Amino acid sequence: RIEITLPDSELPEGIADLLLARSSTDLDQFRAGAEADARTAESDDYIFRPWTYDVDWQDVGPSSGPLRSYRAQIYVDTGGAHPGHDFDIVNYDTGRASLIGIGDLFTDLGIAMDTLSLALEEALMDAKRERLAEFDISEDEMRDWVLPATEKRPENFTTFVLTPTEAGDKVAGLTFLYEPYAVGAYAEGSYTAFVPASAFHASSPSRARATTA
């Protein structure tokens, strides 16, 4: 079963096609794998468990202005020990009709990454302390998971969305998404970490400046 769901909100021109295209890149491989598994089940006489590929896109960014954000929850079940969970994100500048990444938001990415590294480490450690409070896990063990994911490296700051203010018309900050295994064991599930726009004063967002709270 394959199901791709687009946001309920009114989408700017071209966004629906973009989200569908991003969701479809691995479908041929998925179908081929499911068909091969079904043939093997038949030949080896065991019950085939149908594969599932679900992508649910949500509009999670500002409701007005040029900067928009979309987040996909991806669920893939291929009959293994447990299903796979992942995220995909699209951050888009409607004024320039282009995708944007972390480097497009700041005049000095190096300073911004210093801020992000510290803020994300703190936010994730707080989240893990709360989630794992009933388990015998030390601070050092938790930090061993968090530090590699929050080091000052551009690849650590790619999976984020623009989080709107309560009014929905400005950017309140950036929310980073971490799939299972990214900063903890699979049983911990996924994590999110929010960094408010106010944390970036020294590294002033270039494109987001006019639309941040």
Side-chain angles (χ1 to χ4, degrees), residues 141-205:
E141 289 175 300
M142 289 190 281
R143 192 166 275 108
D144 284 344
W145 277 102
V146 168
L147 288 182
T150 58
E151 289 177 340
K152 185 183 174 181
R153 294 184 289 129
E155 57 266 33
N156 277 340
F157 310 117
T158 58
T159 309
F160 70 93
V161 291
L162 306 169
T163 301
T165 58
E166 287 188 18
D169 59 341
K170 298 186 187 310
V171 178
L174 307 179
T175 296
F176 287 79
L177 313 173
Y178 299 90
E179 63 192 51
Y181 289 130
V183 292
Y186 180 85
E188 292 178 50
S190 58
Y191 282 88
T192 62
F194 175 70
V195 183
S198 59
F200 299 112
H201 286 160
S203 48
S204 47

Side-chain angles (χ1 to χ4, degrees), residues 6-53:
L6 295 180
D8 294 332
S9 58
E10 183 176 349
L11 300 176
E13 182 179 358
I15 291 295
D17 290 341
L18 174 61
L19 300 184
L20 286 172
R22 288 180 71 96
S23 303
S24 302
T25 53
D26 297 324
L27 288 187
D28 287 343
Q29 182 178 354
F30 176 84
R31 290 190 185 96
E35 291 167 359
D37 191 24
R39 289 193 297 269
T40 301
E42 184 177 8
S43 63
D44 292 355
D45 195 26
Y46 65 83
I47 297 174
F48 170 67
R49 205 171 122 194
W51 288 21
T52 300
Y53 188 99

Side-chain angles (χ1 to χ4, degrees), residues 104-107 197 200-201 203-210 212:
D104 299 306
L105 294 177
F106 299 97
T107 54
F200 299 112
H201 286 160
S203 48
S204 47
S206 54
R207 292 192 182 179
R209 185 180 304 139
T212 51

